[in-house]
Amino acid sequence: MQAKRVTFPGRILPALLLLPQLAITAVFFLWPSAEALWQSLRREDAFGTRSEFVGLDNFRQLFADPAYLASFSTTLVFSASVALLSLALGLLFAVLTERVGRGRALYQSLLIWPYAVAPALAALMWSFLFDPSIGPVAKLLGRLGLPWNHQVNGGQALILIVIASTWKQVSYNFLFFVAGLAAIPRSLLEAAAIDAASPWRTFWTIVFPLLAPTSFFLLVVNIVYAFFDTFGVVHATTQGGPAQATTTLVYKVFRDGFVGLDLGGSAAQSVVLLAIVIALTAVQFRFVERRVHY
Amino acid sequence: MAGVTLDAVRKVYPGGVEAVRGVSLDVQNGSFCVLVGPSGCGKSTLLRMVAGLETISSGTVRIGARVVNDLEPAGRDIAMVFQNYALYPHMSVYENMAYGLRNRGTPKAEIAARVAEAARILAVEPYLQRRPRELSGGQRQRVAMGRAIVRQPQVFLFDEPLSNLDAKLRVQMRVEIKRLQKSLGVTSLYVTHDQVEAMTLSDQLVVLNGGLVEQAGPPTELYRRPATRFVAGFLGSPGMNFIAGTAAEGGTIRIGDLTWPAPVGAAARPGTAVELGLRPEDLRVADDGEPALPFTVEFAEELGASRLVHGRIAGSAAAVQLPAEAAPLLGTVPVTARAEAVHLFDAETGRRL
Amino acid sequence: MVRPAGAGSVLPHILLSAALAIMLAPIWFAIVVSTSSVSDFLTGGLGVLPGDQAIANYRTVLVTGASNVGLSPVGPMLLNSFMMAVAIAAGKIAISIISAYAVAWFRFPFRTAAFWTIFITLMLPVEVRILPTFGVTADLGLLNSFAGLTIPIIASATATFLFRQVFMTIPDELTEAARIDNAGPVRFFFDVVLPLSRTNIAALAIILFIYGWNQYLWPLLVTTDTKYYTVVMGIQRLAQSAESSPVWHLAMATAILAMLPPVLVVLSMQKLFVRGLVETEK
Ligand SMILES: Nc1ncnc2c1ncn2[C@@H]1O[C@H](COP(=O)(O)OP(=O)(O)OP(=O)(O)O)[C@@H](O)[C@H]1O
Ligand SMILES: [Mg+2]
């Protein structure tokens, strides 16, 4: 990590400049994380007065707990669905707007604003559309012979939070794909046109491969989003239910910690999440590195 | 005002590169000193040490009588014109010129007066409220100069200030810089790798090579009596012809199986490997009986005012510059030069003999 | 793109219109519900056009609240959200720009260590250290306070990286010219670096404003006093009652109010927003 070639002398000024950031990082990031690590290795007694070192017991317990494993697979299904759906839709919308001549700017404006909507609000609006008794979409489905009630049907609840989370994330992917498409050299497409490739063929043989770096980068970002930023979606609507069907890992760590007050168990869950973020960040940074070195 | 004196100045960069390897130099008060040399020879480094932008590894730099080694750039009373101008992109031309004065607490009225004066001298008055990006290259160049002259410093430092301009503008600005420097009389250090700029601008010309001074002195002297083969080859365009040979008895030079009969190599011990240096413009077709070398013509370039004939002398590539109206040369012709125009260098050390 | 001529270009319009219909459906129905009366949607009389209860509903939500369903007035919550979003955006930018300045323009011991410490925050989202962070904040007495809402999430590796990257594009010669012009590090920062980073700051401010406004989990943890509720987080109580009691009209009115500021920011400053988004992810 380089500094500028031309620098200023002095040591006190840079220390002062870094102090606020480092202090906040130490107090609110490093210390709590270290504490989570520490607590994940300990267990409190029934009265919460003493705790003792239990090694990896909390983790063993965690991975022996069917509820936790279920939450794990729920999260995987949920994240994969959200990531892939929002990627596919974002790409589709971007390609479509590229192809319209007039009105492109208008379409773009109308497609990007959901980015600004908080996940919890997105979830709320969608849960109205799917409200079993009065939601317009639920009614429509009922008339089509597909009774909808996400308050009792776990699968439907999961579909609901996937839809709400995807809806918000599509705009983000859309924007990056628009930028990615704009960066493709015109001459390549012209060459393809001269080679008499059909638009369909041109897309799959030229455009799509050139968008691969963007797609991969977005895939990682979307997974991170689905893992962590969708807490509000779950909390504001299904609350993890019915019957744990929508309990994602992040929602579970919150509930076990704050409602269940299981310090060691919650800390162990935090540590598992930490491992996941580190892995995702590592993947992302290897990739960002490549982008920088192009 | 003050002169600049360098005494055994060295610069070793943190990586271990020794960019300047002991340079001593005396720039007279009010004179125009040009540092010239190939890329990487340490010109910029030397200039930046005078500016205070690089630390000095050893030796001393004086401006006037004051040793400035440990002074901040702002405390050295110098002004600098950068190759890319380094104008503050978000400030107007006026603000760019005023910034250094304002930071030194110069009164507002005086700043206004000085900027107005500089703007007048440099003919940038119409652009004072514009941003740098709204100016042409030449105009930016003038503003960069303006920023230097409003400060009325002891020394001007220029680091290749003209190299971002197109050829025509470069010639024009070169003349203006010279005129400005003469009228202001401010001691100037000017870095370039363009030998025409170097020759035309300097009162004192310094040729650097590999972090060392090859030769310093008035430009005509460096041109006429280059102290080393390097200086001889560096100055002049088209470049000097070099022909390898061996010193022989009586000061003559053996070149292959030919002999340059005139005694130019008096100082060379017989048997020493030498190089004979002949500028293209000093060569002409020899009359009968004159000492001469056979020149085998290959082709000619018409330069308008003159004609440059390329060919070979004793196997080495060589060129002869003739008046445009001279008769065309064909085949092999004997060529010769005045005795003072024949340079001789030790092939091993490169020193003039 | 090399576009196919003629009839081919109608299809994208049709498909895009369908896409827009789906994308806009939630907001459209939210508007419809938020302007309808309770009886409208209980009797199934909810249409596809806005109702006539807009003023009544929005007044209830903004000013009086609905204590029976756990909704305190949204007006003060909006103000809280706004202050929190501005404080987070401004704080993150201020803290990051000076850290990036230190890392870019100074060499000092532990420079790399400092940089990595900042980098690590990328890997530690609130969700990962939720209980202990809550604990630290509580120990510092920051629960139910404005400081507690903002300071713990004000460190930012992303913004620091962004500014460092911007700074690396500022030519070294400008720094040298400034040194000759008698500008020290502080003056150089205010006179040159800050003005040259203006667009980046503006673009980042938009992204961070949205980020701050949309905070959910953190306000949920550190506020129990309605005085400090933010609107995005305050709505959840209403959301939970909406499943059982007929308050969809109020919930949707609140939702519309809660999303309006960030959405307006995006739509009115679209260019800057897009730039900010693309830059922060590099
Ligand atoms: N900051 C630095 N760190 C290490 N080495 C450096 C640094 N700056 C320059 N050098 C090296 O010092 C030598 C002299 O560099 P300098 O910039 O003075 O050359 P120059 O004569 O100005 O060349 P040019 O005509 O290309 O500008 C070069 O070999 C260069 O690679
Ligand atoms: Mg140089």
Side-chain angles (χ1 to χ4, degrees):
Chain A
M1 208 277 313
Q2 276 181 312
K4 313 257 325 170
R5 182 174 57 77
V6 181
T7 53
F8 288 108
R11 293 181 171 191
I12 295 171
L13 184 62
L16 289 177
L17 292 174
L18 278 165
L19 187 67
Q21 175 105 284
L22 291 180
I24 291 174
T25 303
V27 174
F28 294 105
F29 287 76
L30 300 184
W31 172 251
S33 306
E35 204 167 336
L37 267 177
W38 171 245
Q39 276 168 358
S40 73
L41 303 176
R42 305 180 70 81
R43 185 171 300 146
E44 292 199 330
D45 66 9
F47 309 104
T49 48
R50 305 181 40 201
S51 74
E52 56 170 357
F53 185 79
V54 293
L56 294 178
D57 251 19
N58 287 324
F59 292 95
R60 237 170 265 136
Q61 224 169 44
L62 204 56
F63 284 103
D65 177 5
Y68 187 70
L69 296 178
S71 161
F72 225 112
S73 59
T74 302
T75 310
L76 289 183
V77 172
F78 170 75
S79 302
S81 314
V82 171
L84 294 178
L85 263 179
S86 57
L87 268 179
L89 290 175
L91 179 58
L92 176 68
F93 294 172
V95 171
L96 287 177
T97 48
E98 262 287 305
R99 305 216 130 226
V100 302
R102 240 192 279 151
R104 192 192 305 186
L106 181 67
Y107 284 122
Q108 288 189 358
S109 304
L110 287 173
L111 285 169
I112 60 172
W113 65 268
Y115 172 84
V117 177
L121 301 179
L124 194 61
M125 291 192 293
W126 280 100
S127 71
F128 170 76
L129 291 182
F130 280 96
D131 185 273
S133 50
I134 58 169
V137 177
K139 277 189 197 163
L140 188 69
L141 288 174
R143 234 170 273 154
L144 293 175
L146 296 164
W148 182 275
N149 190 344
H150 61 260
Q151 287 163 10
V152 296
N153 184 323
Q156 294 184 347
L158 191 60
I159 292 175
L160 175 68
I161 61 168
V162 166
I163 290 177
S165 308
T166 302
W167 177 80
K168 180 191 148 60
Q169 189 67 0
V170 167
S171 343
Y172 183 90
N173 295 338
F174 168 74
L175 263 177
F176 275 83
F177 279 127
V178 166
L181 285 173
I184 293 178
R186 242 188 105 80
S187 55
L188 283 182
L189 304 174
E190 287 165 349
I194 289 167
D195 286 342
S198 68
W200 182 255
R201 238 189 110 70
T202 307
F203 179 80
W204 287 111
T205 54
I206 296 171
V207 178
F208 190 71
L210 287 175
L211 286 178
T214 309
S215 312
F216 182 69
F217 153 79
L218 285 174
L219 180 65
V220 179
V221 173
N222 287 348
I223 291 174
V224 172
Y225 160 79
F227 256 83
F228 298 99
D229 296 343
T230 52
F231 172 84
V233 173
V234 178
H235 186 260
T237 56
T238 63
Q239 302 258 307
Q244 317 295 318
T246 55
T247 302
T248 59
L249 289 173
V250 167
Y251 187 73
K252 190 168 167 57
V253 74
F254 162 80
R255 203 190 44 207
D256 290 358
F258 277 84
V259 186
L261 294 177
D262 170 10
L263 227 54
S266 172
Q269 291 185 33
S270 286
V271 172
V272 173
L273 282 178
L274 180 65
I276 294 171
V277 201
I278 289 175
L280 286 172
T281 318
V283 171
Q284 187 174 354
F285 259 74
R286 287 207 53 154
F287 174 69
V288 169
E289 212 74 59
R290 276 229 322 268
R291 262 165 53 115
V292 169
H293 288 225
Y294 268 175
Chain B
M1 249 160 281
V4 176
T5 316
L6 308 186
D7 188 15
V9 168
R10 281 175 68 245
K11 174 70 186 183
V12 184
Y13 279 111
V17 179
E18 190 172 359
V20 175
R21 295 161 38 190
V23 168
S24 297
L25 198 61
D26 205 352
V27 183
Q28 295 297 317
N29 184 5
S31 77
F32 200 122
C33 172
V34 175
L35 303 171
V36 69
S39 187
C41 71
K43 318 179 282 290
S44 296
T45 305
L46 197 60
L47 190 78
R48 294 160 54 78
M49 282 194 285
V50 176
L53 297 171
E54 298 287 355
T55 55
I56 298 163
S57 306
S58 71
T60 52
V61 174
R62 280 194 193 78
I63 295 179
R66 201 161 53 134
V67 175
V68 297
N69 283 34
D70 297 322
L71 289 183
E72 277 290 297
R76 295 189 181 196
D77 207 2
I78 49 106
M80 184 153 168
V81 178
F82 293 85
Q83 177 173 354
N84 63 8
Y85 316 138
L87 299 175
Y88 307 114
H90 59 294
M91 296 184 194
S92 68
V93 168
Y94 182 93
E95 291 168 323
N96 262 286
M97 293 209 247
Y99 189 62
L101 293 175
R102 226 187 302 144
N103 289 344
R104 288 178 171 78
T106 313
K108 264 215 161 71
E110 189 182 341
I111 294 180
R114 284 213 218 167
V115 172
E117 170 69 5
R120 190 187 58 75
I121 294 174
L122 289 162
V124 295
E125 285 157 311
Y127 321 120
L128 279 177
Q129 294 316 318
R130 289 204 205 163
R131 297 280 166 90
R133 71 166 165 281
E134 298 158 346
L135 301 176
S136 71
Q139 290 162 348
R140 280 179 221 181
Q141 167 63 45
R142 283 164 203 274
V143 175
M145 305 254 301
R147 180 165 70 179
I149 68 176
V150 290
R151 292 260 323 283
Q152 304 177 352
Q154 303 262 18
V155 181
F156 284 146
L157 303 173
F158 299 87
D159 193 352
E160 308 204 20
L162 302 182
S163 56
N164 282 358
L165 299 178
D166 64 49
K168 197 164 176 186
L169 207 51
R170 199 178 315 168
V171 175
Q172 186 188 332
M173 284 308 297
R174 192 175 81 203
V175 175
E176 279 195 43
I177 290 181
K178 179 87 175 176
R179 183 176 299 137
L180 194 67
Q181 197 271 341
K182 283 288 156 257
S183 71
L184 297 174
V186 176
T187 314
S188 300
L189 251 72
Y190 186 108
V191 162
T192 179
H193 59 241
D194 180 325
Q195 50 98 13
V196 180
E197 254 172 56
M199 289 294 297
T200 52
L201 283 172
S202 58
D203 300 326
Q204 182 183 13
L205 182 56
V206 179
V207 177
L208 284 175
N209 185 26
L212 288 169
V213 174
E214 286 275 336
Q215 190 177 3
T220 45
E221 185 186 318
L222 266 66
Y223 191 79
R224 294 215 185 102
R225 288 188 57 81
T228 64
R229 184 195 183 284
F230 179 84
V231 174
F234 193 80
L235 297 179
S237 172
M240 190 181 272
N241 301 311
F242 291 104
I243 301 147
T246 323
E249 296 299 332
T252 60
I253 309 297
R254 284 204 62 78
I255 299 161
D257 42 15
L258 303 166
T259 302
W260 176 264
V264 290
R269 259 192 311 121
T272 321
V274 295
E275 279 189 284
L276 200 60
L278 297 161
R279 292 202 186 277
E281 73 267 28
D282 290 334
L283 287 172
R284 61 183 166 79
V285 179
D287 295 330
D288 282 344
E290 274 187 304
L293 288 169
F295 175 63
T296 310
V297 177
E298 288 173 341
F299 61 93
E301 288 179 303
E302 292 297 340
L303 302 177
S306 63
R307 179 187 308 138
L308 192 61
V309 185
H310 293 268
R312 294 188 167 274
I313 294 175
S316 310
V320 178
Q321 192 166 16
L322 299 173
E325 64 276 9
L329 294 187
L330 289 170
T332 301
V333 287
V335 292
T336 190
R338 284 170 295 119
E340 320 85 77
V342 180
H343 311 274
L344 195 68
F345 303 99
D346 187 317
E348 216 167 291
T349 64
R351 298 255 134 233
R352 184 183 188 89
L353 293 167
Chain C
M1 273 267 204
V2 180
R3 260 173 278 275
S9 55
V10 179
L11 188 62
H13 279 290
I14 297 171
L15 292 174
L16 274 174
S17 305
L20 277 179
I22 295 173
M23 292 297 280
L24 295 177
I27 181 87
W28 179 253
F29 279 98
I31 292 171
V32 170
V33 178
S34 74
T35 54
S36 304
S37 64
V38 180
S39 55
D40 280 345
F41 56 83
L42 279 191
T43 59
L46 191 67
V48 290
L49 291 177
D52 53 8
Q53 297 299 307
I55 296 175
N57 289 348
Y58 280 90
R59 158 136 10 100
T60 308
V61 165
L62 268 173
V63 187
T64 40
S67 50
N68 57 323
V69 287
L71 178 72
S72 40
V74 168
M77 289 198 222
L78 284 169
L79 191 65
N80 282 346
S81 285
F82 183 78
M83 293 199 308
M84 176 177 78
V86 169
I88 288 176
K92 272 184 187 265
I93 288 173
I95 285 180
S96 304
I97 202 165
I98 59 175
S99 324
Y101 188 66
V103 174
W105 264 288
F106 291 86
R107 286 173 215 275
F108 49 92
F110 307 114
R111 200 175 132 272
T112 312
F115 189 77
W116 284 105
T117 308
I118 296 169
F119 177 84
I120 279 178
T121 60
L122 273 186
M123 306 199 189
L124 304 171
V126 183
E127 291 81 355
V128 166
R129 52 197 161 83
I130 183 164
L131 261 185
T133 311
F134 173 79
V136 169
T137 313
D139 289 346
L140 292 173
L142 293 177
L143 297 185
N144 284 315
S145 77
F146 195 63
L149 268 177
T150 51
I151 292 175
I153 46 180
I154 228 170
S156 174
T158 318
T160 310
F161 293 169
L162 172 71
F163 282 123
R164 195 191 85 92
Q165 221 163 2
V166 171
F167 293 168
M168 293 315 273
T169 66
I170 295 180
D172 286 316
E173 284 78 5
L174 280 191
T175 316
E176 300 185 324
R179 286 184 69 186
I180 291 174
D181 277 342
N182 204 23
V186 175
R187 197 178 259 169
F188 181 66
F189 178 76
F190 285 106
D191 287 353
V192 179
V193 174
L194 218 47
L196 287 182
S197 318
R198 247 193 354 225
T199 331
N200 301 287
I201 293 174
L204 191 59
I206 292 179
I207 303 299
L208 292 179
F209 177 84
I210 297 170
Y211 165 88
W213 184 277
N214 288 347
Q215 283 301 306
Y216 184 84
L217 176 58
W218 188 243
L220 190 68
L221 298 183
V222 296
T223 61
T224 47
D225 182 345
T226 48
K227 207 170 80 181
Y228 293 102
Y229 275 14
T230 64
V231 65
V232 171
M233 162 270 183
I235 205 173
Q236 47 99 16
R237 297 235 243 143
L238 196 55
Q240 279 148 34
S241 9
E243 309 250 296
S244 46
S245 37
V247 287
W248 276 114
H249 58 309
L250 301 183
M252 287 301 147
T254 310
I256 298 282
L257 289 172
M259 73 177 78
L260 209 54
V263 168
L264 285 183
V265 165
V266 166
L267 291 183
S268 61
M269 290 181 260
Q270 196 171 327
K271 268 226 177 76
L272 217 47
F273 160 73
V274 172
R275 180 176 167 163
L277 201 61
V278 175
E279 266 175 359
T280 43
E281 288 301 346
K282 259 195 277 207

